[in-house]
Amino acid sequence: MDFVPLWAVVIDYILGVVMWTLIGRFGMGLFLPENTSFFFMRFFVQATDPLIRLFRPITPGFLDARFVPLFVAWFFYMARFYLMPWLLGYSVMGMLSFPLEGEIARGLANILYKFQN
């Protein structure tokens, strides 16, 4: 990640955390109602409700309420995949390669490598 400016990594991490939080809300929403007393679901709902309200004007009316967090997460994915490389001046879209997920994958690989040896 030495070639990626720090500001780009920070922005990508923020967008990535928001995206994965929305995906988490969608996933948990498949099994739990929004008004459950389960701590994690309450966190996902409270953390993502402002974004869902912000995106309400462009959310299709026919979309089931359970899928709205996934729809909003898609915008954050698109920003990470297309906007970030464009801001960094890459001529090919998608070249940023998601630093957040890359760091997580490297960390998991290191952990698994240590367990094997």
Side-chain angles (χ1 to χ4, degrees), residues 43-61:
F43 167 76
F44 284 132
V45 169
Q46 290 174 353
T48 58
D49 265 352
L51 288 170
I52 290 174
R53 279 193 301 273
L54 180 68
F55 280 82
R56 189 171 315 232
I58 60 171
T59 302

Side-chain angles (χ1 to χ4, degrees), residues 28-80:
M28 292 194 76
L30 294 175
F31 303 102
L32 297 169
E34 283 189 5
N35 59 357
T36 185
S37 62
F38 186 57
F39 169 77
F40 289 112
M41 184 61 176
R42 280 194 335 242
F43 167 76
F44 284 132
V45 169
Q46 290 174 353
T48 58
D49 265 352
L51 288 170
I52 290 174
R53 279 193 301 273
L54 180 68
F55 280 82
R56 189 171 315 232
I58 60 171
T59 302
F62 62 84
L63 195 60
D64 188 283
R66 292 176 296 177
F67 291 95
V68 171
L70 194 60
F71 177 77
V72 175
W74 176 78
F75 284 97
F76 287 89
Y77 171 80
M78 296 304 284
R80 294 178 71 208

